[in-house]
Amino acid sequence: MSLTFANFKQVIPSQILTRGREYLRQGQILDLSFDEEELIWEAQVEGTDLYDVRIELLVNGSLNTNCTCPYDLGEQCKHVAAVLYAIEDAFPDQLGTRPRKKPAKRQTRHDKLRQRLEKTSRERLISILLELTQSDRELLNQLLIHLDAGDSKPMDYRRVVKDALRAGRGEYGFLDYTGSNRAGRKLGELLHQAEQWRAAGDFDRAIGVYQAVIDETVPTMAHADDSSGILGDCIGLALESLAESVAAQGGHERENLLTYCLERARRKEFHNWDWGWDLLAIAEKLVSTPPQRTLFTSALDGLQAEISKPSDGGFISDYGLEQVALFRLALIDRFDGPEAARKFLFAHVHLDRVRMELIDRCIKAGELEEAMRQIQTGIASSNQRHVWGLTNQYQALRVKLLQQTGDKTGVIEGARALWLDRGAEEDFELLHSMVPSAEWLAFVEELVKATRRPEQLAWLYAREKSLG
């Protein structure tokens, strides 16, 4: 049953509702806000930790709820229940109900703090803050971050990140689910501050934060339960923001950033994930001179030697070799020109992603016979290795080529085979655009007969309501 404002007291278990009411009475709902355009309520709830609750009113009247707590014994937790009760009290107009009594404007704890701060002398405030930071390293770090005025000696943001990660660790140094979420929220606050600095043009401080988050959090992932993805998201945001900062860097700063990215990309812990490749992608954009190219190529040589070593089972993954080859190709494009790039592509065509790059370039250049030859070779090779996902990618390139040649029948046959195999909406939309409207219903009926997966068939019926 869908959750609504009208039925949440019947749908949510009574014990959860009771705890939610207690949270509301005890004033543990912080900063409840409402977005009238999006019909979304957001609040923070004080529990074992500070949790973020989000409630969205959908067009059909049902509610989409989310809480960052680890509760997994039911669909709704006590924090969501508490916010539902708070919404009922504070926003009766939006719910279409009448308030039991005229609600007074609730004074938040921040309102109370503001009033008391305004009445306190400067000397007393300084004394209080110094006293508190003696025993609260997190508060000390937060104050140093927010009051950092860009002194000549840059702040060590790595220490701030270490403290955030340390605060979430359990008895044996492991970051459990709750600890990872707690640490991730602290890192998120730091990254938000860095984004504000970057927007204001203070790239040095922002990059210092991004590098600190990357350097300290990546090694921690081996000792953390990040099933919520919050720590990985922080690393991803730091890498993305670092990449976006490249354009603003001058000569000396670009050299430093290139060195940083290449040094980190060589570390094994970065290649247990894709973050090492992300750092190499940033470094590749920074290469603009022959000496820098030599430095980058040397790093690629070291990585290629490492990933070319067979595993204990004698297996060598093509993924890393493909990544290295594509980085080399980017430098050849930049420094050596199209003929050298073409020669490199043919020399490394045994790597599937390189072959696909060659096919794409051949199609763009109008070399359609060579493109089709490479596609057929790729299909045969992937079929022989039983790598059906690659076969589909080559088949998709074949359909793209047939579109360029105007082979309508071939496009329909290829797109149909692709849709039946992988069920991608893009393949279905291509079929819809190519099959004459007068023949469409009969075509879909044949698709129904050929479809084997129940979920794909259900999607097809939903998409084509005319079939009933």
Side-chain angles (χ1 to χ4, degrees):
M1 178 184 295
S2 297
L3 185 72
T4 67
F5 282 119
N7 71 9
F8 79 86
K9 295 172 189 175
Q10 290 76 45
V11 173
I12 299 177
S14 59
Q15 65 270 27
I16 300 294
L17 291 172
T18 299
R19 296 299 303 279
R21 283 196 299 269
E22 290 174 1
Y23 272 41
L24 179 62
R25 282 198 299 268
Q26 294 165 5
Q28 291 172 253
I29 314 299
L30 309 180
D31 300 327
L32 176 62
S33 64
F34 176 53
D35 186 325
E36 294 188 24
E37 292 186 1
E38 300 293 332
L39 297 180
I40 293 172
W41 288 265
E42 293 181 324
Q44 289 188 317
V45 181
E46 281 188 311
T48 308
D49 202 341
L50 191 62
Y51 301 115
D52 297 318
V53 175
R54 184 179 187 273
I55 297 176
E56 179 182 6
L57 179 60
L58 304 178
V59 292
N60 63 0
S62 64
L63 300 175
N64 184 15
T65 65
N66 179 264
C67 179
T68 57
C69 78
Y71 180 76
D72 60 359
L73 298 178
E75 292 187 9
Q76 310 299 337
C77 64
K78 57 192 174 184
H79 312 106
V80 168
V83 175
L84 287 170
Y85 277 120
I87 293 172
E88 188 177 55
D89 281 353
F91 297 93
D93 292 340
Q94 279 74 23
L95 272 60
T97 61
R98 292 187 177 185
R100 292 181 291 275
K101 58 182 180 179
K102 186 175 178 62
K105 186 179 185 301
R106 180 179 295 140
Q107 188 180 48
T108 68
R109 298 199 310 166
H110 283 87
D111 293 333
K112 294 177 183 177
L113 177 61
R114 174 182 287 277
Q115 290 176 0
R116 295 178 187 181
L117 288 174
E118 290 173 346
K119 295 177 182 179
T120 306
S121 68
R122 178 177 180 274
E123 292 74 17
R124 176 64 177 149
L125 287 175
I126 293 174
S127 175
I128 291 172
L129 288 174
L130 289 175
E131 181 180 347
L132 290 174
T133 53
Q134 289 293 325
S135 57
D136 192 334
R137 290 182 65 176
E138 181 187 344
L139 177 60
L140 172 62
N141 286 330
Q142 289 295 324
L143 287 172
L144 287 172
I145 291 168
H146 287 283
L147 299 176
D148 184 7
D151 299 331
S152 57
K153 183 178 180 180
M155 182 176 174
D156 185 5
Y157 295 111
R158 284 174 176 77
R159 182 173 181 178
V160 179
V161 176
K162 285 181 178 178
D163 286 345
L165 294 169
R166 186 182 296 115
R169 287 196 170 98
E171 182 179 357
Y172 300 102
F174 183 79
L175 273 169
D176 62 13
Y177 180 89
T178 301
S180 293
N181 282 333
R182 184 184 300 121
R185 284 195 294 273
K186 296 181 189 304
L187 295 181
E189 292 170 1
L190 180 59
L191 287 167
H192 177 69
Q193 179 63 56
E195 290 297 285
Q196 292 181 321
W197 287 334
R198 184 161 69 99
D202 193 346
F203 287 91
D204 288 343
R205 280 200 291 176
I207 288 174
V209 170
Y210 304 145
Q211 292 176 337
V213 170
I214 293 166
D215 289 348
E216 300 301 330
T217 311
V218 169
T220 300
M221 295 295 286
H223 311 285
D225 174 5
D226 191 40
S227 52
S228 70
I230 190 170
L231 294 178
D233 287 345
C234 288
I235 296 169
L237 177 59
L239 285 164
E240 181 182 333
S241 300
L242 191 63
E244 292 173 354
S245 303
V246 167
Q249 298 300 289
H252 180 66
E253 291 83 2
R254 289 175 70 89
E255 287 285 350
N256 288 340
L257 189 54
L258 175 63
T259 302
Y260 167 84
C261 290
L262 292 179
E263 195 280 327
R264 298 309 187 275
R266 289 186 175 99
R267 297 183 184 180
K268 186 175 181 179
E269 62 261 32
F270 282 84
H271 282 278
N272 290 334
W273 314 80
D274 272 347
W275 298 317
W277 302 118
D278 293 334
L279 285 165
L280 283 173
I282 297 172
E284 183 265 309
K285 300 297 185 216
L286 290 162
V287 175
S288 59
T289 67
Q292 290 174 342
R293 180 187 186 181
T294 300
L295 189 65
F296 187 83
T297 300
S298 176
L300 292 180
D301 291 341
L303 279 171
Q304 183 165 339
E306 186 64 30
I307 60 184
S308 296
K309 296 176 182 177
S311 65
D312 293 339
F315 176 73
I316 298 176
S317 171
D318 281 349
Y319 177 75
L321 297 175
E322 289 172 346
Q323 290 280 65
V324 169
L326 291 174
F327 281 127
R328 294 187 193 277
L329 177 62
L331 295 183
I332 292 171
D333 281 332
R334 187 172 308 157
F335 289 95
D336 302 330
E339 286 303 317
R342 182 180 177 85
K343 183 177 179 180
F344 179 88
L345 285 165
F346 276 101
H348 294 80
V349 77
H350 59 283
L351 298 171
D352 286 291
R353 290 171 65 201
V354 175
R355 186 190 299 277
M356 290 179 187
E357 177 66 23
L358 173 60
I359 292 167
D360 195 56
R361 293 189 184 200
C362 285
I363 292 175
K364 289 177 181 177
E367 299 177 27
L368 305 186
E369 289 186 7
E370 179 61 36
M372 183 59 78
R373 190 178 74 81
Q374 294 293 340
I375 288 171
Q376 299 294 5
T377 304
I379 290 173
S381 173
S382 56
N383 281 339
Q384 185 178 17
R385 290 174 286 157
H386 306 291
V387 188
W388 312 123
L390 278 175
T391 300
N392 279 338
Q393 292 181 54
Y394 282 117
Q395 292 286 13
L397 285 170
R398 180 176 176 275
V399 169
K400 180 179 178 181
L401 175 57
L402 293 174
Q403 282 181 276
Q404 187 155 328
T405 62
D407 186 348
K408 186 175 179 180
T409 301
V411 170
I412 293 173
E413 290 176 353
R416 179 182 181 276
L418 279 171
W419 187 83
L420 288 172
D421 190 68
R422 64 184 185 177
E425 187 172 355
E426 62 188 271
D427 300 326
F428 190 86
E429 292 303 326
L430 178 58
L431 288 170
H432 191 265
S433 67
M434 298 294 290
V435 175
S437 57
E439 302 172 15
W440 178 247
L441 184 57
F443 183 85
V444 171
E445 288 174 346
E446 289 301 316
L447 272 185
V448 169
K449 295 176 184 177
T451 302
R452 295 291 177 262
R453 295 198 297 272
E455 68 276 10
Q456 192 174 354
L457 192 60
W459 182 91
L460 180 56
Y461 274 109
R463 175 66 174 76
E464 296 298 310
K465 295 179 181 178
S466 61
L467 293 178

